[in-house]
Amino acid sequence: MTDLTRLHAHEMSPLLRVGEVSSRALTEAHLAAAERQNHSLNAWLVIYRTEALAQADAADRRLAEARRTGPAALAALHPLCGVPVGLKDLVSVKGGQATAGSKILAGYIAPFDSTVTARLRQAGAVILGKTNMDEFAMGSSTEHSAYGPTANPWDLTRVPGGSSGGSAAAVAAFHVPLAIGTDTGGSIRQPASMCGVVGMRPTYGRVSRYGIVAFASSLDQIGPFGRDVRDAAILLHAVSGHDRRDATSAPIPVPPELLSLPDSDDEAASYLRGRRIALPREYFVEGMEPGVAARVREAVAAMQAAGAKVEEVSLPHTDYGLATYYIIAPAECSSNLARYDGVKYGFADRSSGEFIADYLRTRGAGFGPEVKRRIMLGTYALSAGYYDAYYLKAQKVRTLIKADFDAVWAAGFDSICAPTSPTVAFPLGAKLADPVAMYLIDACTLPVNMAGLPGVSVPAGLSDGLPVGLQIVGAPWSELSMLRLARAYEAITARATWRAVEPAELHLTDDPTTPSPAERMTRHTQGASATGSGGQA
Amino acid sequence: MTAAPAAAGKSAALERYEAVIGIEIHCQLKTVSKMFCGCSTEIDGAAPNSHCCPVCLGLPGVLPTINRTAVEWVLATGFAIEATVAPTTRWDRKNYFYPDLPKGYQISQYQLPLAANGRLTFDTSEGPFTVRVRRAHLEEDTGRLIHDELGGRRVSLIDFNRSGMPLMEIVTEPDIRTAEQARRYAEELRLLMRTIGASDAEMENGQMRVEANVSIRPRGQESFGTRVEVKNMNSMRAVERAIAYEIERQAVAVDAGETIHMETRGWDEARQSTYHMRPKEEENDYRYFPEPDLPPLLTSPEWLAGIKARLPELPSVRRVRYREAFGLSAYDADVLVNDAAAAALFEGALAAGAGVPAKLLANWVTGEYMRLAKGGEGSGGGAAGRVDAAELAALVKLVAGGAISGTNAKEVFGEHFASGAGVASIVKARGFRQISDAGALGAAIDQVLAANPAAVADYRAGKAAAVGFLVGQVMKATRGQANAGMVQTALRERLDKAE
Ligand SMILES: [Zn+2]
């Protein structure tokens, strides 16, 4: 029998249905890998062995019952039934922690399921555990977690990207075939790119935000990680759809075709014929690594060779994306994070005996430096006398950024292709002292959030042995065609040698003497300020 | 601090100063569930924190959803005060830290209130007065802090039952000049809320909270003085007294050369005075910004038309109708309009009995009915029965037609009120009929005159009031059935003729 952890979810599903493999066996295999390797990766903040096995057994019962009932009952089951998934630790799971990577939420137990959780339960997915992240999703490297950084399985001395670095690393390391992340400025696509997996951010409003610890409400979206496009599409299908608990979720039907992206590479590749792909010149930014630019241009050339029409376009307001993002996201977070005051739950310092002083102590000790920096930025931007100059102005620029994209869709393009990140994974600690350098990592992903668009990062080869991501961006609600295009790219590169390469240092993670990412970072940052860092989300 | 005089008297200082008053009223809207979650609003008397959910506790990751009924109540209020109703509205976050505010911000409306630029007209002792209403908007209530002692330690406890209750805030322009106007405005708004059904507006249990901004300026001066916010007024009487007190306090202070400071003062019911609560050195910076969790709300013309169509007759319109269509006095019209049950009985009786004289009916409703309904003498201690509108109509017709005397009619009404028995059967069982026959009355009058020579002598000596005594004696002799008007006329004739 093959190693069960190497299976894709779309391969597990048929095996589960015919009873050739059980959810318990799948879950056991993945639990074992996660438990064995978490010491050197720190991808997981908590692993739910007991609960996961119980959910696996329940899924096995559902599968058995459906097998007895007949083919229709079996077909009615979601392909995720019995499949292990990981959740970023800001997704509320009833009875479990939701730290959002922060000390201030230590000890908080969510008394309710997020809508995403509820939908996963309904589908029969097995929740293996909660993954590491930058505190409140603020960061691009997962180094801002209060629970230590996560390592990149391709090179354990490097970051996995962020903020959903735990989810990306767990999927890359075969601990789960699928994981949930959130993307406020690139926090799914960028770590997907750096870990060599597929990561997708849906259109704003596609997935309910109810029960997801908020960072920046108007930018946050929840999306899937997988090791191929079909798997990501299956997870997207399970969690998408209108939710009356989220007033910003859209009453737009979820395309069932997400579950049936072609298995055949030839069929998948044929989708490229006649597609119009826009290549925005502003996205090949200064400071982009040549290896990254080369891989992305090769990917685009391959699609062109397969029948796509590629044209260069301009998104003239791209340059303002970063500046406006760093007004709007901090403004919203300064308000969203006001509830963490030590009064109701989580970490509290009540030593002063006076509530304002207790607030200051609780928040002073409970939040990390990057979160404090953004709360201060946002508070300033919303203050009387500055609101018009900063927040209001940023919202106007945001409209212009969105209009740039609208013009591309109006010109008849199917999608925009660009690099996901201007660099491959960088060493742990390398950018902690330079917040602006960290922020620049997200220059290519932020504008997509500002415009509320869907975007996916797919592996596009290696640069110096490290993964490079190709970003494909679609028009609002075009997830299906965007993923078809991504699947087509995957199909035309299916036989590329780099596709067969597994994360280079994965074998080291089995060795208990391998240092933990925290130990590695301490070595890297000796002498450097641990407070001078940044990164988006 | 200057010893302020009692609120009741008018000091000389008031003649030199004019008060400028703006009123802010919070009304708890009548909805089944809270503003942004499904929790029940039946929180009166409930155990602390028994009516809460993740949403109104502000747990991580929760999102608000709009209660449409609450929005409709504000829109209905907007129409009722002739305000401009926004075609599009949105929600804003008001950010501040306080332990009873679970999210660290309150969802409110800042830039685009649901209703703006309205007005409310009402009567005062100095005639009709109109107050411009600046805005009416929707927001959520906070929890409540309770300071207590537990095991010898001073602790602050929080009850979040009230957190997320739907509130409407209604803010006037600084148009009000007297404490009476302020009270009348609040009373009229309360009546309006109850009439349209938006709120029960009981001040005692916090469903309606009135705050006043009070300043004074020398008469003739354009610019406003420093304003003081007055809170904790738990009744309409308290509103009037607190504002009157505050005006006088400021006038005396200014006269004494003192400076008025921006502050929040509370009304102390026991001492009948306002006291300093906290300074208000500068406006708080609430860092308002549009609530990103709630999309803007479009008020479609159809939705608005439906709300408008469902509005009941408003108090001001009803008062005019009662005066003009039925010839009621302004006083009677007002009494009826202010009492929903009385107005319903009045309207019901009019509808039930063709040709019932409206003015006489109004007297019965505002007199006997309201006396009994309020638990007055003879009502059986307030455990009053219901009055059937058709029966009341029948009774009033009997009175108007002279078939029964007023005295007997009151007895009949009392019995109907207590037992619910029909008017006709009570009249029949008690044998009530009015004696309007001159001959029969004459005999009774003769007997009374003969038996009361002293009263007759008093009358003739110029004591006109003696007639009343003699009428009473005749009524007594006829068991209340004599036509009192005829008795009076006949008595005078006899007494004056024999002179
Ligand atoms: Zn609630």
Side-chain angles (χ1 to χ4, degrees):
Chain A
M1 184 125 205
T2 51
D3 182 350
L4 294 178
T5 64
R6 263 49 180 180
L7 292 175
H8 292 285
H10 62 81
E11 294 166 332
M12 293 175 185
S13 182
L15 297 173
L16 285 163
R17 287 179 189 212
V18 298
E20 200 164 303
V21 66
S22 68
S23 176
R24 174 168 267 266
L26 283 173
T27 305
E28 288 274 21
H30 287 89
L31 279 171
E35 286 167 342
R36 196 172 65 240
Q37 299 178 339
N38 202 42
H39 160 73
S40 41
L41 281 177
N42 197 34
W44 300 90
L45 294 183
V46 61
I47 296 170
Y48 292 131
R49 169 168 276 277
T50 312
E51 295 85 345
L53 289 173
Q55 288 166 20
D57 291 343
D60 283 332
R61 285 193 297 274
R62 272 174 82 174
L63 286 156
E65 173 66 28
R67 268 195 297 279
R68 274 196 301 277
T69 312
L74 217 42
L77 288 178
H78 197 278
L80 282 191
C81 188
V83 174
V85 297
L87 302 181
K88 190 175 181 177
D89 200 24
L90 46 45
V91 178
S92 303
V93 175
K94 190 173 179 175
Q97 68 176 48
T99 64
S102 181
K103 180 181 171 185
I104 209 159
L105 274 170
Y108 166 68
I109 300 296
F112 67 106
D113 272 343
S114 74
T115 299
V116 163
T117 310
R119 287 183 175 165
L120 287 173
R121 288 193 201 278
Q122 206 180 351
V126 173
I127 297 167
L128 205 79
K130 305 293 285 294
T131 60
N132 199 10
M133 56 184 287
D134 284 300
E135 183 176 2
F136 287 104
M138 298 175 198
S140 308
S141 65
T142 316
E143 291 165 294
H144 293 306
S145 169
Y147 304 98
T150 295
N152 190 319
W154 290 83
D155 177 345
L156 299 182
T157 68
R158 290 175 186 262
V159 302
S163 66
S164 314
S167 286
V171 170
F174 304 97
H175 296 175
V176 270
L178 291 165
I180 287 288
T182 60
D183 189 315
T184 306
S187 278
I188 292 174
R189 289 158 292 158
Q190 185 257 22
S193 164
M194 291 190 171
C195 289
V197 297
V198 175
M200 190 247 176
R201 175 207 141 84
T203 311
Y204 184 80
R206 177 65 94 179
V207 180
S208 168
R209 295 182 293 115
Y210 186 79
I212 310 297
V213 179
F215 162 14
S217 308
S218 74
L219 299 159
D220 293 347
Q221 258 298 289
I222 298 90
F225 285 95
R227 284 190 302 271
D228 69 12
V229 174
R230 279 166 288 174
D231 273 16
I234 290 170
L235 182 52
L236 174 69
H237 179 274
V239 299
S240 290
H242 181 240
D243 175 16
R244 54 178 189 79
R245 288 181 181 275
D246 177 359
T248 64
S249 87
I252 290 180
V254 181
E257 296 91 335
L258 285 171
L259 296 182
S260 52
L261 293 183
D263 287 328
S264 146
D265 287 336
D266 287 343
E267 187 192 342
S270 70
Y271 185 76
L272 279 167
R273 243 166 272 142
R275 297 294 151 196
R276 290 185 62 200
I277 293 172
L279 213 56
R281 67 176 71 96
E282 291 84 359
Y283 280 60
F284 291 83
V285 293
E286 212 179 308
M288 175 168 294
E289 291 175 354
V292 171
R295 289 303 88 76
V296 172
R297 293 209 183 271
E298 285 161 20
V300 171
M303 289 193 279
Q304 198 164 16
K309 293 183 219 159
V310 179
E311 286 170 56
E312 196 169 90
V313 298
S314 174
L315 296 170
H317 295 93
T318 302
D319 271 0
Y320 303 108
L322 199 72
T324 48
Y325 178 88
Y326 277 98
I327 302 281
I328 291 168
E332 292 180 7
C333 97
S334 73
S335 176
N336 282 335
L337 272 57
R339 70 191 63 198
Y340 307 113
D341 54 14
V343 171
K344 305 168 290 291
Y345 45 75
F347 169 79
D349 182 340
R350 299 202 181 115
S351 56
S352 83
E354 197 276 308
F355 78 79
I356 290 292
D358 283 351
Y359 271 35
L360 298 176
R361 287 174 191 215
T362 297
R363 290 168 67 83
F367 289 134
E370 182 59 27
V371 170
K372 284 182 197 165
R373 176 170 17 249
R374 298 206 199 186
I375 289 174
M376 284 188 281
L377 274 173
T379 303
Y380 183 83
L382 290 176
S383 296
Y386 299 101
Y387 178 87
D388 288 0
Y390 292 106
Y391 189 78
L392 203 60
K393 186 77 155 226
Q395 289 292 13
K396 287 176 181 167
V397 177
R398 185 177 183 176
T399 307
L400 296 175
I401 291 171
K402 191 170 176 297
D404 281 357
F405 286 103
D406 288 344
V408 173
W409 314 131
F413 286 96
D414 293 287
S415 62
I416 293 168
C417 284
T420 304
S421 165
T423 73
V424 294
F426 47 87
L428 282 160
K431 291 186 195 287
L432 278 179
D434 187 353
V436 176
M438 186 80 96
Y439 292 170
L440 279 167
I441 291 292
D442 308 304
C444 298
T445 48
L446 291 171
V448 176
N449 299 64
M450 300 290 273
L453 301 175
V456 61
S457 180
V458 291
L462 305 173
S463 170
D464 294 331
L466 292 168
V468 171
L470 165 71
Q471 181 176 209
I472 303 171
V473 178
W477 316 113
S478 74
E479 284 88 345
L480 180 60
S481 54
M482 184 182 85
L483 290 172
R484 278 180 169 151
L485 195 84
R487 170 73 189 109
Y489 169 71
E490 198 176 66
I492 60 172
T493 54
R495 282 169 208 89
T497 48
W498 55 265
R499 286 239 174 241
V501 181
E502 284 204 354
E505 294 199 347
L506 197 51
H507 65 282
L508 294 179
T509 61
D510 283 329
D511 180 352
T513 65
T514 301
S516 74
E519 288 161 343
R520 289 177 194 275
M521 190 160 78
T522 314
R523 273 182 232 164
H524 278 262
T525 55
Q526 260 160 9
S529 158
T531 60
S533 70
Q536 106 312 327
Chain B
M1 168 148 297
T2 314
K10 265 201 169 186
S11 79
L14 275 182
E15 285 160 26
R16 290 192 294 280
Y17 298 104
E18 175 183 53
V20 176
I21 303 159
I23 302 280
E24 268 181 45
I25 291 180
H26 285 87
C27 279
Q28 188 181 302
L29 296 170
K30 228 173 164 172
T31 58
V32 174
S33 56
K34 290 187 182 180
M35 189 60 232
F36 296 115
C37 63
C39 287
S40 163
T41 52
E42 301 281 325
I43 60 168
D44 268 355
N49 298 309
S50 60
H51 286 52
C52 308
C53 71
V55 174
C56 55
L57 287 172
L59 295 191
V62 298
L63 298 170
T65 46
I66 290 290
N67 183 328
R68 276 178 78 87
T69 308
V71 175
E72 288 179 0
W73 285 135
V74 180
L75 292 170
T77 304
F79 287 127
I81 60 171
E82 302 166 72
T84 309
V85 165
T88 287
T89 190
R90 69 164 201 227
W91 315 94
D92 297 284
R93 287 188 185 177
K94 180 180 182 177
N95 295 285
Y96 66 95
F97 289 100
Y98 207 68
D100 67 7
L101 187 68
K103 297 189 293 295
Y105 57 85
Q106 178 191 34
I107 303 177
S108 181
Q109 296 192 285
Y110 182 57
Q111 286 202 336
L112 297 172
L114 276 163
N117 302 321
R119 60 204 162 119
L120 193 61
T121 300
F122 45 88
D123 284 324
T124 70
S125 63
E126 291 163 348
F129 189 77
T130 299
V131 171
R132 290 173 299 153
V133 176
R134 183 181 296 166
R135 54 188 284 149
H137 75 247
L138 198 46
E139 62 186 31
E140 57 177 335
D141 208 343
T142 63
R144 201 162 35 170
L145 267 185
I146 301 150
H147 302 285
D148 206 347
E149 215 166 275
L150 272 185
R153 269 183 67 227
R154 277 184 54 236
V155 291
S156 296
L157 305 167
I158 314 173
D159 178 4
F160 286 108
N161 281 352
R162 223 177 56 185
S163 173
M165 292 287 275
L167 286 183
M168 172 165 56
E169 182 179 321
I170 305 162
V171 183
T172 73
E173 297 290 347
D175 288 349
I176 296 169
R177 295 290 173 268
T178 70
E180 187 211 346
Q181 287 168 1
R183 173 193 178 141
R184 287 290 304 119
Y185 164 75
E187 284 175 342
E188 187 69 8
L189 195 74
R190 180 177 64 181
L191 176 61
L192 195 67
M193 290 301 101
R194 291 174 178 173
T195 304
I196 66 178
S199 173
D200 287 335
E202 296 285 358
M203 287 182 82
E204 303 74 54
N205 58 20
Q207 290 169 343
M208 180 175 181
R209 292 166 231 163
V210 180
E211 289 163 27
N213 282 305
V214 180
S215 66
I216 59 163
R217 61 185 174 190
R219 292 196 178 273
Q221 180 183 304
E222 278 279 320
S223 59
F224 295 146
T226 305
R227 67 193 160 88
V228 169
E229 187 182 43
V230 185
K231 291 185 160 192
N232 293 355
M233 300 172 285
N234 294 322
S235 68
M236 290 298 174
R237 216 168 70 131
V239 169
E240 184 164 356
R241 291 195 173 185
I243 293 172
Y245 177 91
E246 185 56 25
I247 294 169
E248 187 110 2
R249 184 192 70 84
Q250 292 184 20
V252 170
V254 171
D255 260 4
E258 291 175 24
T259 311
I260 302 295
H261 297 285
M262 272 249 268
E263 62 175 328
T264 300
R265 296 180 72 87
W267 172 244
D268 185 329
E269 187 68 46
R271 295 172 180 224
Q272 294 284 301
S273 62
T274 63
Y275 62 95
H276 173 81
M277 287 174 82
R278 56 181 167 267
K280 230 183 171 178
E281 294 300 335
E282 55 199 85
E283 293 290 329
N284 280 324
D285 184 355
Y286 290 117
R287 289 171 284 121
Y288 283 102
F289 75 107
E291 165 58 282
D293 287 332
L294 291 169
L297 181 79
L298 304 177
T299 51
S300 73
E302 301 76 42
W303 190 29
L304 294 180
I307 293 166
K308 214 168 181 174
R310 286 196 300 275
L311 272 185
E313 184 180 39
L314 299 178
S316 55
V317 176
R318 182 171 279 188
R319 278 192 202 98
V320 171
R321 180 165 66 87
Y322 283 1
R323 288 201 303 264
E324 292 181 355
F326 305 127
L328 303 194
S329 69
Y331 177 81
D332 279 353
D334 203 48
V335 169
L336 284 175
V337 169
N338 276 297
D339 187 317
L345 180 60
F346 177 69
E347 302 254 349
L350 279 177
V356 181
K359 273 182 86 161
L360 185 58
L361 174 65
N363 288 341
W364 275 84
V365 174
T366 60
E368 278 306 284
Y369 166 72
M370 287 180 72
R371 185 178 68 80
L372 293 176
K374 278 176 190 146
E377 206 185 320
S379 69
R386 236 177 262 120
V387 174
D388 184 278
E391 296 295 336
L392 174 61
L395 180 64
V396 172
K397 277 209 261 187
L398 288 179
V399 176
I404 182 171
S405 74
T407 310
N408 287 160
K410 282 179 186 175
E411 282 181 49
V412 172
F413 187 74
E415 192 173 330
H416 170 68
F417 188 90
S419 72
V423 164
S425 64
I426 299 169
V427 169
K428 199 175 166 200
R430 306 277 284 264
F432 289 150
R433 53 184 178 83
Q434 181 154 277
I435 304 168
S436 300
D437 173 70
L441 286 179
I445 288 168
D446 287 344
Q447 281 171 21
V448 166
L449 288 178
N452 294 284
V456 173
D458 283 351
Y459 180 82
R460 291 194 172 136
K463 284 190 183 168
V467 176
F469 170 77
L470 292 168
V471 170
Q473 293 303 306
V474 175
M475 293 307 289
K476 201 173 166 186
T478 59
R479 290 176 30 251
Q481 298 183 52
N483 183 323
M486 285 179 74
V487 170
Q488 180 140 0
T489 312
L491 259 175
R492 281 184 191 282
E493 264 174 29
R494 298 281 174 93
L495 290 167
D496 293 345
K497 199 188 291 170
E499 221 167 348

